Amino acid sequence: SIRVSPESSQANEGDTVTIRCEARVSVTWSKDQGRLPLNAQETNGVLTLYRVSATDSGIYVCASVQDERIFRQAQVRIP
């Protein structure tokens, strides 16, 4: 199973957002079924978004590398 923490976060422009994905399998992050933004860094299941802006708002998905049907979502809001 996969867990993400926090499942929902809100940040101000310029902040750093960190989301952890805990799993017993290798995982990968994506955003809204697409690529991560350029200001994103993914390390050992931890997704860090640096200097966020409104375009970074959305749903981020942590999925198993072996089986994409196993995933959890996290929502990020930058007002």
Side-chain angles (χ1 to χ4, degrees):
S1 68
I2 295 178
R3 288 185 22 227
V4 295
S5 173
E7 292 183 354
S8 179
S9 56
Q10 182 166 325
N12 296 313
E13 288 213 10
D15 285 354
T16 296
V17 174
T18 301
I19 310 169
R20 287 177 170 74
C21 183
E22 298 174 26
R24 292 198 183 97
V25 294
S26 297
V27 295
T28 183
W29 281 97
S30 61
K31 180 184 183 217
D32 298 327
Q33 271 69 62
R35 301 174 66 151
L36 291 173
L38 293 176
N39 59 323
Q41 180 179 351
E42 183 181 4
T43 308
N44 296 328
V46 178
L47 177 67
T48 306
L49 303 169
Y50 296 97
R51 295 178 300 281
V52 295
S53 64
T55 58
D56 296 316
S57 292
I59 301 293
Y60 290 82
V61 179
C62 176
S64 164
V65 171
Q66 287 82 16
D67 186 349
E68 292 181 355
R69 295 171 299 177
I70 302 173
F71 67 91
R72 286 291 178 271
Q73 297 180 336
Q75 182 173 27
V76 175
R77 286 191 298 272
I78 293 93

